[in-house]
Amino acid sequence: VFDVSASFLNRVVYRQPRRLLHAVNDVTFDVPMGGCLSLVGESGCGKSTVAKLVTRLYEISAGEIRFAAGKSGAPLSAQMIFQDPYASLNPRWRVKNIIAEPLRELKLRDNEADIAARVAELLDIVGLNYADGEKFPHEFSGGQRQRISIARALASEPEFLVCDEPTSALDVSVQAQILNLMRRLQDELGLTYLFISHDLSVVRHMSDRIAVMYLGRIVEEAETELLFADPQHPYTQLLLQTIPNVNDPQRDREIVAGEVPSPLSPPSGCTFHTRCPLAQPRCKAERPELEHKPDGRRVACHFA
Ligand code: SF4
Ligand code: MG
């Protein structure tokens, strides 16, 4: 849907009838143009489904997704960056052809010399060498392969990148390099990000805002530093406690108690009540709405 909203925000909205497709329900959020919104939650919470809906890899069954106009005046084009770049890079193609594919498909360059020049430029932008274009994906490390997939995503000149756990498969030090690259590209190219991760510490320095998802719903959404300083939803509070703390290693990595219930038959009322340390009888009976608060956050908890 092509929408130029007064606030010039990209608005992404889904509504799915409960019980039909189970993965996401009533998920609504704005991704500010040139900014970064992160979706965070445990696996199975529906965050990857949201990513695939936004990039049209999944069909939406009900509701709508709207994009504000991009710089060109045309609807924003979204590109996806995946967790496992190896699975999304054709192993039999040289890297230069992988990166050139969108240029050819979309006819963004009309002769081979211009295509080669653009491929060289894209390799340079992501910190790879011109000679790397002659190699095959298996000749690179995981971090370098993620650089290749970023170069390929940038080839089609997107303004909006949806990044699904782009660093989760990488070592911590390589993770930091890729995150730094993504932040630099965001600044230099004016990109807008929807960033998806199970790890709040990964998204902290990327995100303007963070939405925490649980069983297909957003349970809290707030400006990043507000969320870290003063989490209001019990699930957000527990997720923040699982972040490793250099000053108190004993406290590290305590997983939120209990299994994630099946999204096919979510608990009644507040779906978090089976794991919530603050649950009251009302929580089992009544589902809390995602309410706007005066500090600009949204939170879905009867007792927030
Ligand atoms: Fe916990 Fe109740 Fe709040 Fe749900 S509504 S998060 S169960 S206190
Ligand atoms: Mg996922």
Side-chain angles (χ1 to χ4, degrees):
V1 178
F2 182 28
D3 173 49
V4 186
S5 62
S7 57
F8 216 68
L9 296 180
N10 303 329
R11 175 172 285 277
V12 184
V13 180
Y14 315 106
R15 277 176 209 292
Q16 291 209 340
R18 249 151 281 148
R19 249 176 273 173
L20 187 73
L21 258 180
H22 47 271
V24 294
N25 287 285
D26 298 323
V27 171
T28 69
F29 53 81
D30 292 330
V31 184
M33 188 80 84
C36 175
L37 175 88
S38 291
L39 296 180
V40 174
E42 292 162 287
S43 74
C45 72
K47 52 196 195 306
S48 294
T49 305
V50 172
K52 288 176 177 133
L53 287 165
V54 172
T55 48
R56 313 283 158 89
L57 292 174
Y58 286 173
E59 285 281 314
I60 187 163
S61 61
E64 59 183 334
I65 302 173
R66 293 188 192 183
F67 294 106
K71 286 175 221 136
S72 61
L76 280 191
S77 60
Q79 277 293 319
M80 184 119 168
I81 294 173
F82 297 91
Q83 173 172 359
D84 177 6
Y86 202 51
S88 65
L89 300 174
N90 188 330
R92 286 187 293 273
W93 284 18
R94 289 182 199 279
V95 163
K96 65 178 182 185
N97 291 324
I98 290 173
I99 297 173
E101 189 188 21
L103 301 173
R104 296 197 169 103
E105 285 268 308
L106 301 169
K107 302 190 171 31
L108 295 172
R109 295 291 184 281
D110 36 74
N111 61 66
E112 286 305 312
D114 287 353
I115 288 174
R118 178 62 176 151
V119 168
E121 190 176 52
L122 287 161
L123 285 168
D124 185 54
I125 286 174
V126 299
L128 293 170
N129 300 318
Y130 181 66
D132 289 330
E134 298 299 327
K135 298 184 196 163
F136 292 90
H138 75 264
E139 297 178 70
F140 294 90
S141 67
Q144 287 172 317
R145 283 201 287 263
Q146 199 53 287
R147 289 174 192 269
I148 296 165
S149 60
I150 292 169
R152 183 184 55 181
L154 294 176
S156 59
E157 292 168 30
E159 289 162 274
F160 183 33
L161 285 184
V162 178
C163 315
D164 189 4
E165 305 264 13
T167 65
S168 306
L170 306 173
D171 295 342
V172 174
S173 63
V174 181
Q175 232 179 52
Q177 291 168 16
I178 298 295
L179 291 172
N180 287 338
L181 170 68
M182 296 186 74
R183 285 163 69 185
R184 180 168 64 72
L185 293 172
Q186 183 177 30
D187 282 351
E188 290 177 5
L189 305 174
L191 299 168
T192 300
Y193 286 153
L194 177 63
F195 204 96
I196 298 196
S197 179
H198 64 282
D199 186 342
L200 272 166
S201 60
V202 164
V203 300
R204 181 170 192 167
H205 301 291
M206 294 292 300
S207 317
D208 299 295
R209 300 184 70 87
I210 296 176
V212 177
M213 287 187 71
Y214 187 74
L215 284 183
R217 293 178 185 277
I218 293 175
V219 295
E220 182 163 13
E221 189 261 337
E223 189 271 316
T224 301
E225 287 314 312
L226 179 66
L227 192 88
F228 274 82
D230 182 24
Q232 293 283 311
H233 194 283
Y235 182 59
T236 314
Q237 292 167 354
L238 288 168
L239 278 185
L240 281 169
Q241 283 170 20
T242 67
I243 292 181
N245 179 341
V246 284
N247 301 316
D248 181 9
Q250 292 309 98
R251 213 194 61 172
D252 285 5
R253 299 189 184 282
E254 207 157 291
I255 308 297
V256 180
E259 292 287 300
V260 186
S262 163
L264 280 170
S265 51
S268 62
C270 174
T271 56
F272 190 52
H273 83 254
T274 54
R275 300 168 77 196
C276 182
L278 305 177
Q280 304 289 318
R282 180 185 173 193
C283 304
K284 206 171 171 178
E286 200 185 319
R287 182 164 61 77
E289 294 297 325
L290 186 61
E291 280 177 13
H292 289 266
K293 300 292 176 188
D295 60 7
R297 87 173 80 213
R298 295 182 296 165
V299 60
C301 171
H302 295 309
F303 304 103

